């Protein structure tokens, strides 16, 4: 059978924008953030974010995965924490509650800006818009104690 | 190796007009030596001064003064009960023409002043005599010692320091003429740069100067790519070569880093390495230039950059020489220089600038190499428009054809159509609800012509990508998934 399928790299072809973003992420990374694409899937990134100083996540290094869907940049990247984290806007599965990853996404945003926003979310938890309701409750009722748990988790799961 | 040797060797590698304006390190060093001798002949050897200036305890200060006194006045009628308090101040008097450093010895007799008033042999008087002898010995007409009675029982003894005056005179003159010279350099550099800018712009002309205009408001059918065909291999312009050269130059980050973690001015060594690498790449690119004027212009451009590097090395060496000589001054004489004199030269921006009356030495201007690099960025590089400045924020390619939304933001027609098809109403940049309102009338024709003119290749490439994508989308809308499959 003469099967003529378009060469795989044509479908695999990466938009120029993704190539540019990747180059810059690797060459000039934002402070406290790394992102490296998988060799076999250039739309899939291994990400690390350092816990911001002054937050309960300080000294922690958190691993995340980031995936650029076919529609990117018209649709937002999919981002998830792989490291366990005690944060009112991040649930057990590592899913993140952040408006720009959902309805507030704009194609003018980039991988870099998304990761910076996530880093900022670590500094400024928002228990009024929770994803992990129990953690949010804890944060609202006894912030000090909740931060203590966040620190413990950081120590336990996010220190290399 | 001694600094003075390293310094003079480094100066030899620099252009003579820079070398002539360097700090005379050796001569300054000689003057420090003379100053030490001058002070020693006053009995103020570095060790003595050191102790005098450092001692916080008034009693031991007095003791020190006593020691000095005794060196000159063996006929000591030293009264054990006299509790004398003395201070030594190293101060600068700035006259219109020069800086006169001097020592102020204040000696206080708290017990009884009558002894002083009676003109009885007292410490300062004896030192005074000694100093006058000393100044005669030096055959100096400037070294005179004044005694003033600031209060009833305090003697102020002022000792002008002749060699020190000469030291500051020399250093000051050198720094002043250096500052003047650097001003001239800045001026000359800028005008050379403007000539070069002129030369390059005539070799990097847009295609419209050789080909007829491709666009008018009436020829806007989406498929008129044919009329867009630029004279890409134009023999009349080196536009693309210059664009590439400037691109390489910017990316080389020779003098300054623009990286997020390492922003700022580079060290001399780093700059040298990067310059060599850039020179190597330019050797290859030189042959790409087709016009004779272009090659000459590139040579001038390279020379200007080498000059900035020389200047950078020169300024660094000079600052280092100034810092070292002032440090040596302190170390050899034990005279404490005001701390700002020692610190400003280490950091480009002093934490707090000294009050004007204390600004003894002219400060070097803000890093001149930096200013020159900036001038290249402002005068030269904009001659060739850069594609990044005209690209669509969404697809990051040239925003062709350019659609200007009601809010003023610019996107390529392709990305805008995609946004509209997805029903996204808000501008991706400012979130103003302008996307769905955009239509044919939002095409920015002036910009479109400009792009076709300055980015003929990119315009053409973008147009055909757009067409390919649109066709593919159309097929998908008809329900035919993916590319064409023949089973």
């Amino acid at each position: 059978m003469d099967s003529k399928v378009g060469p795989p790299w044509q479908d695999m072809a990466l938009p120029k924008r993704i190539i540019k973003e990747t180059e810059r992420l690797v060459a000039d990374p934002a402070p406290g953030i790394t992102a490296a694409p998988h060799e076999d899937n250039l739309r899939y990134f291994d990400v690390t974010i350092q816990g911001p100083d002054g937050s309960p996540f300080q000294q922690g290094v958190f691993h995340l995965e980031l995936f650029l869907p076919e529609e990117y940049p018209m649709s937002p990247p999919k981002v998830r924490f792989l490291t366990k984290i005690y944060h009112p806007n991040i649930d057990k599965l590592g899913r993140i509650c952040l408006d720009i990853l959902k309805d507030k996404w704009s194609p003018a945003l980039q991988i870099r800006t998304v990761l910076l926003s996530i880093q900022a979310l670590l500094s400024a938890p928002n228990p009024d818009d929770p994803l992990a309701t129990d953690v949010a409750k804890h944060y609202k009722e006894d912030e000090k104690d909740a931060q203590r748990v966040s620190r413990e988790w950081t120590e336990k799961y996010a220190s290399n | 190796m001694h600094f003075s040797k390293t310094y003079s060797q480094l100066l030899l590698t620099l252009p003579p007009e820079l070398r002539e304006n360097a700090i005379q390190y050796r001569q300054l060093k000689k003057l420090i030596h003379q100053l030490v001798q001058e002070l020693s002949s006053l009995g103020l050897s570095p060790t003595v001064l050191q102790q005098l200036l450092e001692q916080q305890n008034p009693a031991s200060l007095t003791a020190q003064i006593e020691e000095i006194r005794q060196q000159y006045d063996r006929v000591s009628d030293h009264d054990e009960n006299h509790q004398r308090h003395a201070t030594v101040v190293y101060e600068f008097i700035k006259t219109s023409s020069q800086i006169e450093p001097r020592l102020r010895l204040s000696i206080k007799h708290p017990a009884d002043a009558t002894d002083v008033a009676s003109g009885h042999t007292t410490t300062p008087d004896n030192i005074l005599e000694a100093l006058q002898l000393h100044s005669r010995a030096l055959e100096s007409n400037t070294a005179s010692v004044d005694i003033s009675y600031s209060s009833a029982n305090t003697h102020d003894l002022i000792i002008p320091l002749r060699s020190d005056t000469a030291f500051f005179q020399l250093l000051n003159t050198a720094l002043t003429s250096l500052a003047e010279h650097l001003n001239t350099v800045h001026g000359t550099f800028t005008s050379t740069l403007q000539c070069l800018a002129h030369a390059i712009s005539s070799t990097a002309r847009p295609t419209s100067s050789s080909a007829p205009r491709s666009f008018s408001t009436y020829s806007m059918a989406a498929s008129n790519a044919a009329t867009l065909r630029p004279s890409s291999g134009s023999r009349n312009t080196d536009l693309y070569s210059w664009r590439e050269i400037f691109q390489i130059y910017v990316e080389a980050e020779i003098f300054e880093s623009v990286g997020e973690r390492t922003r700022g001015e580079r060290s001399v060594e780093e700059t040298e390495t990067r310059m060599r690498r850039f020179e190597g790449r330019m050797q290859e690119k030189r042959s790409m230039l087709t016009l004779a004027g272009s090659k000459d212009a590139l040579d001038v451009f390279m020379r200007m950059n080498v000059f900035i590097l020389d200047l950078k090395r020169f300024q660094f060496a000079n600052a280092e020489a100034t810092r070292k000589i002032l440090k040596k001054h302190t170390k050899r004489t034990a005279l404490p220089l005001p701390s700002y004199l020692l610190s400003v030269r280490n950091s480009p921006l002093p934490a707090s600038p000294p009050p004007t009356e204390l600004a003894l030495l002219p400060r070097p201007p803000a890093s001149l190499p930096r200013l020159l690099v900036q001038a290249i960025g402002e005068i030269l590089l904009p001659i060739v428009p850069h594609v990044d400045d005209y690209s669509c924020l969404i697809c990051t390619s040239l925003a062709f054809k350019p659609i200007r939304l009601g809010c003023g933001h610019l996107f390529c027609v392709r990305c805008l159509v995609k946004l509209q098809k997805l029903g996204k109403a808000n501008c991706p940049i400012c979130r103003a609800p302008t996307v769905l309102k955009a239509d044919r009338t939002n095409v920015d024709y002036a910009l479109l012509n400009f792009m076709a003119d300055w980015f003929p290749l990119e315009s053409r490439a973008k147009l055909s990508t757009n067409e390919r994508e649109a066709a593919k989308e159309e097929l998908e809308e008809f329900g035919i998934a993916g590319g064409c499959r023949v089973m």
Side-chain angles (χ1 to χ4, degrees), chain B residues 75-101:
Chain B
V75 199
S76 173
D77 65 338
H78 180 202
D79 186 349
E80 291 297 329
N81 296 326
H82 267 209
Q83 266 295 338
R84 290 184 184 118
H85 296 263
T87 49
V88 178
V89 180
Y90 178 49
E91 56 184 22
F92 295 91
I93 303 301
K94 197 172 185 185
T95 65
S96 55
S97 57
Q98 59 186 8
I99 299 162
E100 284 171 9

PDB file of all heavy atoms in Angstrom, chain B residues 75-101:
ATOM      1  N   VAL B  75      65.230  72.043  76.432  1.00  0.00           N
ATOM      2  CA  VAL B  75      65.121  72.761  77.695  1.00  0.00           C
ATOM      3  C   VAL B  75      63.688  72.639  78.187  1.00  0.00           C
ATOM      4  O   VAL B  75      62.867  73.521  78.039  1.00  0.00           O
ATOM      5  CB  VAL B  75      65.482  74.262  77.522  1.00  0.00           C
ATOM      6  CG1 VAL B  75      65.828  74.884  78.858  1.00  0.00           C
ATOM      7  CG2 VAL B  75      66.596  74.427  76.522  1.00  0.00           C
ATOM      8  N   SER B  76      63.438  71.512  78.700  1.00  0.00           N
ATOM      9  CA  SER B  76      62.057  71.250  79.064  1.00  0.00           C
ATOM     10  C   SER B  76      61.759  71.751  80.458  1.00  0.00           C
ATOM     11  O   SER B  76      62.403  71.363  81.423  1.00  0.00           O
ATOM     12  CB  SER B  76      61.805  69.747  78.979  1.00  0.00           C
ATOM     13  OG  SER B  76      60.544  69.477  79.483  1.00  0.00           O
ATOM     14  N   ASP B  77      60.799  72.658  80.516  1.00  0.00           N
ATOM     15  CA  ASP B  77      60.330  73.058  81.839  1.00  0.00           C
ATOM     16  C   ASP B  77      58.953  72.424  82.051  1.00  0.00           C
ATOM     17  O   ASP B  77      57.987  73.042  82.444  1.00  0.00           O
ATOM     18  CB  ASP B  77      60.277  74.573  81.980  1.00  0.00           C
ATOM     19  CG  ASP B  77      59.250  75.172  81.049  1.00  0.00           C
ATOM     20  OD1 ASP B  77      58.907  74.495  80.035  1.00  0.00           O
ATOM     21  OD2 ASP B  77      58.778  76.280  81.323  1.00  0.00           O
ATOM     22  N   HIS B  78      58.943  71.216  81.731  1.00  0.00           N
ATOM     23  CA  HIS B  78      57.716  70.448  81.704  1.00  0.00           C
ATOM     24  C   HIS B  78      57.089  70.354  83.083  1.00  0.00           C
ATOM     25  O   HIS B  78      57.697  69.864  84.020  1.00  0.00           O
ATOM     26  CB  HIS B  78      58.067  69.052  81.159  1.00  0.00           C
ATOM     27  CG  HIS B  78      56.887  68.147  81.070  1.00  0.00           C
ATOM     28  ND1 HIS B  78      57.019  66.790  81.045  1.00  0.00           N
ATOM     29  CD2 HIS B  78      55.575  68.410  80.988  1.00  0.00           C
ATOM     30  CE1 HIS B  78      55.829  66.256  80.962  1.00  0.00           C
ATOM     31  NE2 HIS B  78      54.932  67.232  80.928  1.00  0.00           N
ATOM     32  N   ASP B  79      55.881  70.820  83.181  1.00  0.00           N
ATOM     33  CA  ASP B  79      55.165  70.779  84.440  1.00  0.00           C
ATOM     34  C   ASP B  79      54.292  69.531  84.477  1.00  0.00           C
ATOM     35  O   ASP B  79      53.414  69.351  83.653  1.00  0.00           O
ATOM     36  CB  ASP B  79      54.294  72.042  84.569  1.00  0.00           C
ATOM     37  CG  ASP B  79      53.644  72.108  85.935  1.00  0.00           C
ATOM     38  OD1 ASP B  79      53.694  71.107  86.681  1.00  0.00           O
ATOM     39  OD2 ASP B  79      53.074  73.171  86.236  1.00  0.00           O
ATOM     40  N   GLU B  80      54.566  68.707  85.420  1.00  0.00           N
ATOM     41  CA  GLU B  80      53.833  67.440  85.504  1.00  0.00           C
ATOM     42  C   GLU B  80      52.333  67.657  85.721  1.00  0.00           C
ATOM     43  O   GLU B  80      51.523  66.826  85.367  1.00  0.00           O
ATOM     44  CB  GLU B  80      54.384  66.584  86.657  1.00  0.00           C
ATOM     45  CG  GLU B  80      55.780  66.042  86.418  1.00  0.00           C
ATOM     46  CD  GLU B  80      55.853  65.103  85.240  1.00  0.00           C
ATOM     47  OE1 GLU B  80      54.874  64.414  84.940  1.00  0.00           O
ATOM     48  OE2 GLU B  80      56.920  65.066  84.608  1.00  0.00           O
ATOM     49  N   ASN B  81      51.996  68.802  86.318  1.00  0.00           N
ATOM     50  CA  ASN B  81      50.588  69.021  86.625  1.00  0.00           C
ATOM     51  C   ASN B  81      49.773  69.494  85.415  1.00  0.00           C
ATOM     52  O   ASN B  81      48.561  69.440  85.428  1.00  0.00           O
ATOM     53  CB  ASN B  81      50.438  70.048  87.750  1.00  0.00           C
ATOM     54  CG  ASN B  81      51.058  69.517  89.029  1.00  0.00           C
ATOM     55  OD1 ASN B  81      51.015  68.320  89.275  1.00  0.00           O
ATOM     56  ND2 ASN B  81      51.657  70.408  89.798  1.00  0.00           N
ATOM     57  N   HIS B  82      50.512  69.989  84.451  1.00  0.00           N
ATOM     58  CA  HIS B  82      49.806  70.468  83.259  1.00  0.00           C
ATOM     59  C   HIS B  82      49.127  69.321  82.536  1.00  0.00           C
ATOM     60  O   HIS B  82      49.779  68.422  82.018  1.00  0.00           O
ATOM     61  CB  HIS B  82      50.800  71.146  82.310  1.00  0.00           C
ATOM     62  CG  HIS B  82      50.864  72.611  82.545  1.00  0.00           C
ATOM     63  ND1 HIS B  82      51.175  73.494  81.566  1.00  0.00           N
ATOM     64  CD2 HIS B  82      50.671  73.344  83.664  1.00  0.00           C
ATOM     65  CE1 HIS B  82      51.172  74.709  82.061  1.00  0.00           C
ATOM     66  NE2 HIS B  82      50.871  74.643  83.348  1.00  0.00           N
ATOM     67  N   GLN B  83      47.823  69.366  82.488  1.00  0.00           N
ATOM     68  CA  GLN B  83      47.086  68.387  81.701  1.00  0.00           C
ATOM     69  C   GLN B  83      46.774  69.033  80.355  1.00  0.00           C
ATOM     70  O   GLN B  83      45.840  69.786  80.194  1.00  0.00           O
ATOM     71  CB  GLN B  83      45.788  67.992  82.420  1.00  0.00           C
ATOM     72  CG  GLN B  83      45.913  66.759  83.274  1.00  0.00           C
ATOM     73  CD  GLN B  83      46.209  65.511  82.464  1.00  0.00           C
ATOM     74  OE1 GLN B  83      45.940  65.461  81.271  1.00  0.00           O
ATOM     75  NE2 GLN B  83      46.797  64.512  83.097  1.00  0.00           N
ATOM     76  N   ARG B  84      47.588  68.706  79.413  1.00  0.00           N
ATOM     77  CA  ARG B  84      47.365  69.356  78.117  1.00  0.00           C
ATOM     78  C   ARG B  84      46.592  68.434  77.188  1.00  0.00           C
ATOM     79  O   ARG B  84      46.881  67.243  77.108  1.00  0.00           O
ATOM     80  CB  ARG B  84      48.687  69.737  77.473  1.00  0.00           C
ATOM     81  CG  ARG B  84      49.352  70.876  78.205  1.00  0.00           C
ATOM     82  CD  ARG B  84      50.601  71.272  77.477  1.00  0.00           C
ATOM     83  NE  ARG B  84      51.273  72.306  78.239  1.00  0.00           N
ATOM     84  CZ  ARG B  84      52.483  72.152  78.751  1.00  0.00           C
ATOM     85  NH1 ARG B  84      53.142  71.042  78.560  1.00  0.00           N
ATOM     86  NH2 ARG B  84      53.035  73.122  79.418  1.00  0.00           N
ATOM     87  N   HIS B  85      45.637  69.009  76.514  1.00  0.00           N
ATOM     88  CA  HIS B  85      44.880  68.219  75.539  1.00  0.00           C
ATOM     89  C   HIS B  85      45.207  68.744  74.162  1.00  0.00           C
ATOM     90  O   HIS B  85      45.170  69.939  73.919  1.00  0.00           O
ATOM     91  CB  HIS B  85      43.383  68.348  75.794  1.00  0.00           C
ATOM     92  CG  HIS B  85      42.993  67.773  77.120  1.00  0.00           C
ATOM     93  ND1 HIS B  85      42.492  66.514  77.253  1.00  0.00           N
ATOM     94  CD2 HIS B  85      43.083  68.297  78.369  1.00  0.00           C
ATOM     95  CE1 HIS B  85      42.263  66.278  78.536  1.00  0.00           C
ATOM     96  NE2 HIS B  85      42.623  67.354  79.238  1.00  0.00           N
ATOM     97  N   ALA B  86      45.538  67.843  73.306  1.00  0.00           N
ATOM     98  CA  ALA B  86      45.922  68.293  71.973  1.00  0.00           C
ATOM     99  C   ALA B  86      45.197  67.482  70.908  1.00  0.00           C
ATOM    100  O   ALA B  86      44.913  66.311  71.092  1.00  0.00           O
ATOM    101  CB  ALA B  86      47.417  68.133  71.782  1.00  0.00           C
ATOM    102  N   THR B  87      44.898  68.144  69.839  1.00  0.00           N
ATOM    103  CA  THR B  87      44.320  67.430  68.703  1.00  0.00           C
ATOM    104  C   THR B  87      45.061  67.842  67.444  1.00  0.00           C
ATOM    105  O   THR B  87      45.550  68.966  67.333  1.00  0.00           O
ATOM    106  CB  THR B  87      42.832  67.773  68.511  1.00  0.00           C
ATOM    107  OG1 THR B  87      42.699  69.190  68.546  1.00  0.00           O
ATOM    108  CG2 THR B  87      41.957  67.130  69.561  1.00  0.00           C
ATOM    109  N   VAL B  88      45.129  66.942  66.535  1.00  0.00           N
ATOM    110  CA  VAL B  88      45.726  67.252  65.242  1.00  0.00           C
ATOM    111  C   VAL B  88      44.662  67.065  64.191  1.00  0.00           C
ATOM    112  O   VAL B  88      43.987  66.038  64.160  1.00  0.00           O
ATOM    113  CB  VAL B  88      46.909  66.325  64.936  1.00  0.00           C
ATOM    114  CG1 VAL B  88      47.482  66.647  63.561  1.00  0.00           C
ATOM    115  CG2 VAL B  88      47.964  66.442  65.995  1.00  0.00           C
ATOM    116  N   VAL B  89      44.480  68.069  63.368  1.00  0.00           N
ATOM    117  CA  VAL B  89      43.495  67.945  62.293  1.00  0.00           C
ATOM    118  C   VAL B  89      44.208  68.149  60.961  1.00  0.00           C
ATOM    119  O   VAL B  89      44.980  69.091  60.797  1.00  0.00           O
ATOM    120  CB  VAL B  89      42.368  68.994  62.454  1.00  0.00           C
ATOM    121  CG1 VAL B  89      41.361  68.845  61.325  1.00  0.00           C
ATOM    122  CG2 VAL B  89      41.702  68.836  63.808  1.00  0.00           C
ATOM    123  N   TYR B  90      43.930  67.246  60.058  1.00  0.00           N
ATOM    124  CA  TYR B  90      44.481  67.376  58.703  1.00  0.00           C
ATOM    125  C   TYR B  90      43.377  67.992  57.879  1.00  0.00           C
ATOM    126  O   TYR B  90      42.303  67.412  57.712  1.00  0.00           O
ATOM    127  CB  TYR B  90      44.829  65.981  58.199  1.00  0.00           C
ATOM    128  CG  TYR B  90      45.372  65.912  56.794  1.00  0.00           C
ATOM    129  CD1 TYR B  90      46.401  66.747  56.394  1.00  0.00           C
ATOM    130  CD2 TYR B  90      44.871  64.987  55.898  1.00  0.00           C
ATOM    131  CE1 TYR B  90      46.920  66.660  55.115  1.00  0.00           C
ATOM    132  CE2 TYR B  90      45.381  64.883  54.625  1.00  0.00           C
ATOM    133  CZ  TYR B  90      46.404  65.725  54.237  1.00  0.00           C
ATOM    134  OH  TYR B  90      46.909  65.628  52.975  1.00  0.00           O
ATOM    135  N   GLU B  91      43.605  69.227  57.415  1.00  0.00           N
ATOM    136  CA  GLU B  91      42.489  69.892  56.735  1.00  0.00           C
ATOM    137  C   GLU B  91      42.923  70.464  55.397  1.00  0.00           C
ATOM    138  O   GLU B  91      44.117  70.617  55.115  1.00  0.00           O
ATOM    139  CB  GLU B  91      41.917  70.989  57.636  1.00  0.00           C
ATOM    140  CG  GLU B  91      42.959  72.005  58.072  1.00  0.00           C
ATOM    141  CD  GLU B  91      42.407  73.037  59.048  1.00  0.00           C
ATOM    142  OE1 GLU B  91      41.382  72.760  59.700  1.00  0.00           O
ATOM    143  OE2 GLU B  91      42.985  74.126  59.135  1.00  0.00           O
ATOM    144  N   PHE B  92      41.926  70.758  54.577  1.00  0.00           N
ATOM    145  CA  PHE B  92      42.200  71.274  53.235  1.00  0.00           C
ATOM    146  C   PHE B  92      41.597  72.650  53.098  1.00  0.00           C
ATOM    147  O   PHE B  92      40.457  72.872  53.474  1.00  0.00           O
ATOM    148  CB  PHE B  92      41.564  70.385  52.175  1.00  0.00           C
ATOM    149  CG  PHE B  92      42.140  69.017  52.142  1.00  0.00           C
ATOM    150  CD1 PHE B  92      41.597  67.996  52.899  1.00  0.00           C
ATOM    151  CD2 PHE B  92      43.237  68.741  51.344  1.00  0.00           C
ATOM    152  CE1 PHE B  92      42.137  66.733  52.871  1.00  0.00           C
ATOM    153  CE2 PHE B  92      43.772  67.469  51.318  1.00  0.00           C
ATOM    154  CZ  PHE B  92      43.230  66.467  52.074  1.00  0.00           C
ATOM    155  N   ILE B  93      42.411  73.567  52.606  1.00  0.00           N
ATOM    156  CA  ILE B  93      41.872  74.882  52.280  1.00  0.00           C
ATOM    157  C   ILE B  93      41.849  74.947  50.771  1.00  0.00           C
ATOM    158  O   ILE B  93      42.857  74.744  50.099  1.00  0.00           O
ATOM    159  CB  ILE B  93      42.789  75.998  52.820  1.00  0.00           C
ATOM    160  CG1 ILE B  93      42.963  75.845  54.331  1.00  0.00           C
ATOM    161  CG2 ILE B  93      42.219  77.361  52.465  1.00  0.00           C
ATOM    162  CD1 ILE B  93      41.689  75.892  55.126  1.00  0.00           C
ATOM    163  N   LYS B  94      40.673  75.218  50.221  1.00  0.00           N
ATOM    164  CA  LYS B  94      40.589  75.271  48.761  1.00  0.00           C
ATOM    165  C   LYS B  94      40.592  76.727  48.343  1.00  0.00           C
ATOM    166  O   LYS B  94      39.643  77.457  48.591  1.00  0.00           O
ATOM    167  CB  LYS B  94      39.329  74.570  48.284  1.00  0.00           C
ATOM    168  CG  LYS B  94      39.420  74.253  46.802  1.00  0.00           C
ATOM    169  CD  LYS B  94      38.298  73.394  46.317  1.00  0.00           C
ATOM    170  CE  LYS B  94      38.557  73.039  44.853  1.00  0.00           C
ATOM    171  NZ  LYS B  94      37.476  72.314  44.258  1.00  0.00           N
ATOM    172  N   THR B  95      41.675  77.159  47.739  1.00  0.00           N
ATOM    173  CA  THR B  95      41.715  78.508  47.205  1.00  0.00           C
ATOM    174  C   THR B  95      41.286  78.414  45.758  1.00  0.00           C
ATOM    175  O   THR B  95      41.051  77.329  45.241  1.00  0.00           O
ATOM    176  CB  THR B  95      43.131  79.094  47.303  1.00  0.00           C
ATOM    177  OG1 THR B  95      43.966  78.324  46.447  1.00  0.00           O
ATOM    178  CG2 THR B  95      43.648  79.034  48.732  1.00  0.00           C
ATOM    179  N   SER B  96      41.222  79.594  45.121  1.00  0.00           N
ATOM    180  CA  SER B  96      40.738  79.590  43.739  1.00  0.00           C
ATOM    181  C   SER B  96      41.658  78.770  42.846  1.00  0.00           C
ATOM    182  O   SER B  96      41.218  78.113  41.922  1.00  0.00           O
ATOM    183  CB  SER B  96      40.633  81.021  43.227  1.00  0.00           C
ATOM    184  OG  SER B  96      41.888  81.655  43.404  1.00  0.00           O
ATOM    185  N   SER B  97      42.933  78.824  43.143  1.00  0.00           N
ATOM    186  CA  SER B  97      43.861  78.187  42.220  1.00  0.00           C
ATOM    187  C   SER B  97      44.246  76.776  42.648  1.00  0.00           C
ATOM    188  O   SER B  97      44.519  75.937  41.813  1.00  0.00           O
ATOM    189  CB  SER B  97      45.126  79.038  42.097  1.00  0.00           C
ATOM    190  OG  SER B  97      45.692  79.209  43.385  1.00  0.00           O
ATOM    191  N   GLN B  98      44.275  76.547  43.935  1.00  0.00           N
ATOM    192  CA  GLN B  98      44.751  75.233  44.340  1.00  0.00           C
ATOM    193  C   GLN B  98      44.212  74.793  45.694  1.00  0.00           C
ATOM    194  O   GLN B  98      43.551  75.534  46.398  1.00  0.00           O
ATOM    195  CB  GLN B  98      46.283  75.228  44.366  1.00  0.00           C
ATOM    196  CG  GLN B  98      46.840  76.261  45.322  1.00  0.00           C
ATOM    197  CD  GLN B  98      48.342  76.347  45.217  1.00  0.00           C
ATOM    198  OE1 GLN B  98      48.943  75.756  44.340  1.00  0.00           O
ATOM    199  NE2 GLN B  98      48.945  77.084  46.110  1.00  0.00           N
ATOM    200  N   ILE B  99      44.552  73.570  46.005  1.00  0.00           N
ATOM    201  CA  ILE B  99      44.173  73.010  47.297  1.00  0.00           C
ATOM    202  C   ILE B  99      45.391  73.090  48.198  1.00  0.00           C
ATOM    203  O   ILE B  99      46.483  72.692  47.798  1.00  0.00           O
ATOM    204  CB  ILE B  99      43.761  71.547  47.133  1.00  0.00           C
ATOM    205  CG1 ILE B  99      42.568  71.443  46.201  1.00  0.00           C
ATOM    206  CG2 ILE B  99      43.472  70.906  48.467  1.00  0.00           C
ATOM    207  CD1 ILE B  99      42.376  70.062  45.644  1.00  0.00           C
ATOM    208  N   GLU B 100      45.208  73.654  49.384  1.00  0.00           N
ATOM    209  CA  GLU B 100      46.326  73.703  50.314  1.00  0.00           C
ATOM    210  C   GLU B 100      46.034  72.843  51.533  1.00  0.00           C
ATOM    211  O   GLU B 100      45.297  73.241  52.425  1.00  0.00           O
ATOM    212  CB  GLU B 100      46.596  75.150  50.731  1.00  0.00           C
ATOM    213  CG  GLU B 100      47.302  75.929  49.640  1.00  0.00           C
ATOM    214  CD  GLU B 100      47.382  77.410  49.952  1.00  0.00           C
ATOM    215  OE1 GLU B 100      47.047  77.812  51.091  1.00  0.00           O
ATOM    216  OE2 GLU B 100      47.778  78.161  49.046  1.00  0.00           O
ATOM    217  N   PRO B 101      46.634  71.694  51.557  1.00  0.00           N
ATOM    218  CA  PRO B 101      46.451  70.859  52.737  1.00  0.00           C
ATOM    219  C   PRO B 101      47.319  71.399  53.871  1.00  0.00           C
ATOM    220  O   PRO B 101      48.407  71.943  53.633  1.00  0.00           O
ATOM    221  CB  PRO B 101      46.961  69.488  52.300  1.00  0.00           C
ATOM    222  CG  PRO B 101      47.380  69.638  50.873  1.00  0.00           C
ATOM    223  CD  PRO B 101      47.526  71.073  50.577  1.00  0.00           C
TER     224      PRO B 101
END
